[in-house]
mmCIF file of all heavy atoms in Angstrom:
data_model
loop_
_atom_site.group_PDB
_atom_site.id
_atom_site.type_symbol
_atom_site.label_atom_id
_atom_site.label_comp_id
_atom_site.label_asym_id
_atom_site.label_seq_id
_atom_site.Cartn_x
_atom_site.Cartn_y
_atom_site.Cartn_z
ATOM 1 N N VAL A 221 -1.057 19.564 0.663
ATOM 2 C CA VAL A 221 -0.935 19.837 -0.738
ATOM 3 C C VAL A 221 -1.808 18.812 -1.502
ATOM 4 O O VAL A 221 -1.620 17.638 -1.351
ATOM 5 C CB VAL A 221 0.532 19.667 -1.233
ATOM 6 C CG1 VAL A 221 0.655 19.969 -2.718
ATOM 7 C CG2 VAL A 221 1.455 20.561 -0.425
ATOM 8 N N VAL A 222 -2.796 19.315 -2.202
ATOM 9 C CA VAL A 222 -3.811 18.447 -2.718
ATOM 10 C C VAL A 222 -3.774 18.432 -4.246
ATOM 11 O O VAL A 222 -3.502 19.440 -4.850
ATOM 12 C CB VAL A 222 -5.211 18.967 -2.259
ATOM 13 C CG1 VAL A 222 -6.286 17.928 -2.580
ATOM 14 C CG2 VAL A 222 -5.225 19.269 -0.789
ATOM 15 N N ASP A 223 -4.021 17.278 -4.806
ATOM 16 C CA ASP A 223 -4.111 17.158 -6.287
ATOM 17 C C ASP A 223 -5.349 17.957 -6.695
ATOM 18 O O ASP A 223 -6.465 17.577 -6.398
ATOM 19 C CB ASP A 223 -4.254 15.666 -6.638
ATOM 20 C CG ASP A 223 -4.397 15.509 -8.124
ATOM 21 O OD1 ASP A 223 -4.491 16.483 -8.859
ATOM 22 O OD2 ASP A 223 -4.429 14.320 -8.580
ATOM 23 N N SER A 224 -5.078 19.033 -7.482
ATOM 24 C CA SER A 224 -6.199 19.926 -7.858
ATOM 25 C C SER A 224 -7.240 19.237 -8.697
ATOM 26 O O SER A 224 -8.385 19.652 -8.697
ATOM 27 C CB SER A 224 -5.616 21.133 -8.619
ATOM 28 O OG SER A 224 -5.134 20.753 -9.862
ATOM 29 N N THR A 225 -6.866 18.225 -9.459
ATOM 30 C CA THR A 225 -7.854 17.572 -10.321
ATOM 31 C C THR A 225 -8.880 16.849 -9.452
ATOM 32 O O THR A 225 -10.015 16.670 -9.885
ATOM 33 C CB THR A 225 -7.133 16.553 -11.262
ATOM 34 O OG1 THR A 225 -6.359 15.689 -10.469
ATOM 35 C CG2 THR A 225 -6.329 17.258 -12.298
ATOM 36 N N LEU A 226 -8.489 16.406 -8.243
ATOM 37 C CA LEU A 226 -9.439 15.754 -7.378
ATOM 38 C C LEU A 226 -10.159 16.720 -6.445
ATOM 39 O O LEU A 226 -11.264 16.435 -6.011
ATOM 40 C CB LEU A 226 -8.701 14.667 -6.526
ATOM 41 C CG LEU A 226 -7.853 13.636 -7.259
ATOM 42 C CD1 LEU A 226 -7.083 12.796 -6.278
ATOM 43 C CD2 LEU A 226 -8.781 12.790 -8.137
ATOM 44 N N SER A 227 -9.537 17.779 -6.142
ATOM 45 C CA SER A 227 -9.936 18.520 -4.951
ATOM 46 C C SER A 227 -10.653 19.838 -5.197
ATOM 47 O O SER A 227 -11.321 20.310 -4.346
ATOM 48 C CB SER A 227 -8.701 18.928 -4.212
ATOM 49 O OG SER A 227 -8.072 19.954 -4.926
ATOM 50 N N GLY A 228 -10.469 20.374 -6.387
ATOM 51 C CA GLY A 228 -10.892 21.806 -6.479
ATOM 52 C C GLY A 228 -9.994 22.627 -5.664
ATOM 53 O O GLY A 228 -10.393 23.422 -4.811
ATOM 54 N N ALA A 229 -8.655 22.440 -5.818
ATOM 55 C CA ALA A 229 -7.678 23.309 -5.150
ATOM 56 C C ALA A 229 -7.906 24.752 -5.677
ATOM 57 O O ALA A 229 -8.470 24.928 -6.762
ATOM 58 C CB ALA A 229 -6.264 22.881 -5.522
ATOM 59 N N PRO A 230 -7.484 25.753 -4.894
ATOM 60 C CA PRO A 230 -7.695 27.124 -5.348
ATOM 61 C C PRO A 230 -7.014 27.363 -6.701
ATOM 62 O O PRO A 230 -6.027 26.733 -6.990
ATOM 63 C CB PRO A 230 -7.091 27.989 -4.229
ATOM 64 C CG PRO A 230 -6.247 27.062 -3.452
ATOM 65 C CD PRO A 230 -6.809 25.701 -3.620
ATOM 66 N N MET A 231 -7.575 28.261 -7.480
ATOM 67 C CA MET A 231 -6.984 28.564 -8.762
ATOM 68 C C MET A 231 -5.623 29.302 -8.598
ATOM 69 O O MET A 231 -4.697 29.119 -9.330
ATOM 70 C CB MET A 231 -7.930 29.427 -9.593
ATOM 71 C CG MET A 231 -7.474 29.615 -11.054
ATOM 72 S SD MET A 231 -7.200 28.067 -11.947
ATOM 73 C CE MET A 231 -8.851 27.708 -12.474
ATOM 74 N N ILE A 232 -5.593 30.195 -7.579
ATOM 75 C CA ILE A 232 -4.345 30.862 -7.206
ATOM 76 C C ILE A 232 -4.102 30.672 -5.719
ATOM 77 O O ILE A 232 -5.051 30.861 -4.936
ATOM 78 C CB ILE A 232 -4.354 32.373 -7.513
ATOM 79 C CG1 ILE A 232 -4.679 32.644 -8.997
ATOM 80 C CG2 ILE A 232 -3.052 33.048 -7.105
ATOM 81 C CD1 ILE A 232 -4.993 34.103 -9.296
ATOM 82 N N ALA A 233 -2.909 30.277 -5.360
ATOM 83 C CA ALA A 233 -2.573 30.151 -3.934
ATOM 84 C C ALA A 233 -1.185 30.768 -3.716
ATOM 85 O O ALA A 233 -0.198 30.304 -4.294
ATOM 86 C CB ALA A 233 -2.564 28.726 -3.494
ATOM 87 N N MET A 234 -1.144 31.844 -2.965
ATOM 88 C CA MET A 234 0.135 32.488 -2.576
ATOM 89 C C MET A 234 0.342 32.219 -1.085
ATOM 90 O O MET A 234 -0.527 32.494 -0.289
ATOM 91 C CB MET A 234 0.070 33.987 -2.840
ATOM 92 C CG MET A 234 -0.314 34.413 -4.260
ATOM 93 S SD MET A 234 -0.382 36.188 -4.507
ATOM 94 C CE MET A 234 1.373 36.640 -4.568
ATOM 95 N N GLU A 235 1.525 31.664 -0.774
ATOM 96 C CA GLU A 235 1.837 31.384 0.613
ATOM 97 C C GLU A 235 3.148 31.997 1.046
ATOM 98 O O GLU A 235 4.170 31.738 0.415
ATOM 99 C CB GLU A 235 1.904 29.835 0.834
ATOM 100 C CG GLU A 235 0.566 29.166 0.737
ATOM 101 C CD GLU A 235 0.618 27.704 1.143
ATOM 102 O OE1 GLU A 235 1.603 27.279 1.726
ATOM 103 O OE2 GLU A 235 -0.378 26.982 0.867
ATOM 104 N N ALA A 236 3.060 32.806 2.075
ATOM 105 C CA ALA A 236 4.268 33.432 2.672
ATOM 106 C C ALA A 236 5.162 34.073 1.620
ATOM 107 O O ALA A 236 6.404 33.893 1.682
ATOM 108 C CB ALA A 236 5.046 32.413 3.503
ATOM 109 N N VAL A 237 4.572 34.821 0.677
ATOM 110 C CA VAL A 237 5.394 35.412 -0.412
ATOM 111 C C VAL A 237 6.023 36.701 0.039
ATOM 112 O O VAL A 237 5.320 37.626 0.543
ATOM 113 C CB VAL A 237 4.469 35.617 -1.669
ATOM 114 C CG1 VAL A 237 5.211 36.472 -2.704
ATOM 115 C CG2 VAL A 237 4.044 34.298 -2.261
ATOM 116 N N ASN A 238 7.332 36.832 -0.170
ATOM 117 C CA ASN A 238 8.089 38.041 0.132
ATOM 118 C C ASN A 238 8.823 38.485 -1.106
ATOM 119 O O ASN A 238 9.320 37.671 -1.894
ATOM 120 C CB ASN A 238 9.093 37.773 1.290
ATOM 121 C CG ASN A 238 8.399 37.737 2.645
ATOM 122 O OD1 ASN A 238 8.136 38.765 3.249
ATOM 123 N ND2 ASN A 238 8.055 36.528 3.100
ATOM 124 N N LYS A 239 8.937 39.808 -1.214
ATOM 125 C CA LYS A 239 9.640 40.388 -2.360
ATOM 126 C C LYS A 239 10.314 41.680 -1.885
ATOM 127 O O LYS A 239 9.698 42.490 -1.263
ATOM 128 C CB LYS A 239 8.617 40.652 -3.500
ATOM 129 C CG LYS A 239 9.100 41.585 -4.606
ATOM 130 C CD LYS A 239 10.002 40.860 -5.558
ATOM 131 C CE LYS A 239 10.479 41.759 -6.674
ATOM 132 N NZ LYS A 239 11.514 41.161 -7.490
ATOM 133 N N HIS A 240 11.547 41.823 -2.291
ATOM 134 C CA HIS A 240 12.278 43.094 -2.050
ATOM 135 C C HIS A 240 12.724 43.727 -3.345
ATOM 136 O O HIS A 240 13.090 43.028 -4.278
ATOM 137 C CB HIS A 240 13.553 42.807 -1.190
ATOM 138 C CG HIS A 240 13.294 42.332 0.203
ATOM 139 N ND1 HIS A 240 12.914 41.034 0.480
ATOM 140 C CD2 HIS A 240 13.349 42.988 1.411
ATOM 141 C CE1 HIS A 240 12.767 40.881 1.794
ATOM 142 N NE2 HIS A 240 12.982 42.033 2.373
ATOM 143 N N PHE A 241 12.723 45.057 -3.351
ATOM 144 C CA PHE A 241 13.472 45.755 -4.361
ATOM 145 C C PHE A 241 14.600 46.454 -3.653
ATOM 146 O O PHE A 241 14.392 47.466 -2.974
ATOM 147 C CB PHE A 241 12.592 46.838 -5.064
ATOM 148 C CG PHE A 241 11.549 46.257 -5.972
ATOM 149 C CD1 PHE A 241 10.206 46.599 -5.871
ATOM 150 C CD2 PHE A 241 11.898 45.375 -7.004
ATOM 151 C CE1 PHE A 241 9.236 46.108 -6.727
ATOM 152 C CE2 PHE A 241 10.948 44.891 -7.886
ATOM 153 C CZ PHE A 241 9.588 45.208 -7.738
ATOM 154 N N GLY A 242 15.787 45.848 -3.690
ATOM 155 C CA GLY A 242 16.912 46.376 -2.869
ATOM 156 C C GLY A 242 16.527 46.267 -1.396
ATOM 157 O O GLY A 242 16.149 45.192 -0.923
ATOM 158 N N SER A 243 16.625 47.379 -0.692
ATOM 159 C CA SER A 243 16.292 47.349 0.754
ATOM 160 C C SER A 243 14.816 47.574 1.020
ATOM 161 O O SER A 243 14.365 47.468 2.166
ATOM 162 C CB SER A 243 17.098 48.434 1.475
ATOM 163 O OG SER A 243 16.746 49.730 0.969
ATOM 164 N N LEU A 244 14.046 47.803 -0.029
ATOM 165 C CA LEU A 244 12.590 48.024 0.137
ATOM 166 C C LEU A 244 11.844 46.701 0.138
ATOM 167 O O LEU A 244 11.943 45.911 -0.816
ATOM 168 C CB LEU A 244 12.121 48.924 -1.053
ATOM 169 C CG LEU A 244 10.744 49.598 -0.911
ATOM 170 C CD1 LEU A 244 10.781 50.579 0.297
ATOM 171 C CD2 LEU A 244 10.416 50.327 -2.169
ATOM 172 N N HIS A 245 11.126 46.480 1.198
ATOM 173 C CA HIS A 245 10.356 45.223 1.376
ATOM 174 C C HIS A 245 8.936 45.451 0.773
ATOM 175 O O HIS A 245 8.066 45.988 1.457
ATOM 176 C CB HIS A 245 10.271 44.845 2.860
ATOM 177 C CG HIS A 245 9.912 43.434 3.114
ATOM 178 N ND1 HIS A 245 9.923 42.891 4.399
ATOM 179 C CD2 HIS A 245 9.522 42.456 2.297
ATOM 180 C CE1 HIS A 245 9.553 41.620 4.318
ATOM 181 N NE2 HIS A 245 9.298 41.332 3.057
ATOM 182 N N VAL A 246 8.746 45.098 -0.471
ATOM 183 C CA VAL A 246 7.504 45.489 -1.176
ATOM 184 C C VAL A 246 6.367 44.552 -1.014
ATOM 185 O O VAL A 246 5.194 44.910 -1.135
ATOM 186 C CB VAL A 246 7.738 45.776 -2.687
ATOM 187 C CG1 VAL A 246 8.537 47.047 -2.889
ATOM 188 C CG2 VAL A 246 8.458 44.619 -3.359
ATOM 189 N N LEU A 247 6.659 43.250 -0.735
ATOM 190 C CA LEU A 247 5.614 42.295 -0.415
ATOM 191 C C LEU A 247 6.020 41.585 0.867
ATOM 192 O O LEU A 247 7.085 40.989 0.922
ATOM 193 C CB LEU A 247 5.372 41.278 -1.540
ATOM 194 C CG LEU A 247 4.786 41.792 -2.836
ATOM 195 C CD1 LEU A 247 4.704 40.654 -3.868
ATOM 196 C CD2 LEU A 247 3.439 42.471 -2.694
ATOM 197 N N LYS A 248 5.134 41.635 1.860
ATOM 198 C CA LYS A 248 5.484 41.088 3.207
ATOM 199 C C LYS A 248 4.548 39.943 3.550
ATOM 200 O O LYS A 248 3.390 40.143 3.880
ATOM 201 C CB LYS A 248 5.365 42.220 4.232
ATOM 202 C CG LYS A 248 6.254 43.416 3.990
ATOM 203 C CD LYS A 248 5.951 44.570 4.947
ATOM 204 C CE LYS A 248 6.793 45.774 4.614
ATOM 205 N NZ LYS A 248 6.389 46.963 5.389
#
């Protein structure tokens, strides 16, 4: 995990994101 001000960290970083709507697994 890097300090973005020093590193040029990515503008968006999604890691292992999961999302369900009820029993529907919409983001895996």
Side-chain angles (χ1 to χ4, degrees):
V221 181
V222 190
D223 177 356
S224 68
T225 52
L226 303 175
S227 72
M231 189 58 84
I232 302 170
M234 304 179 77
E235 289 188 14
V237 170
N238 283 276
K239 165 79 179 169
H240 293 77
F241 289 127
S243 61
L244 196 62
H245 197 173
V246 287
L247 292 179
K248 300 173 184 171

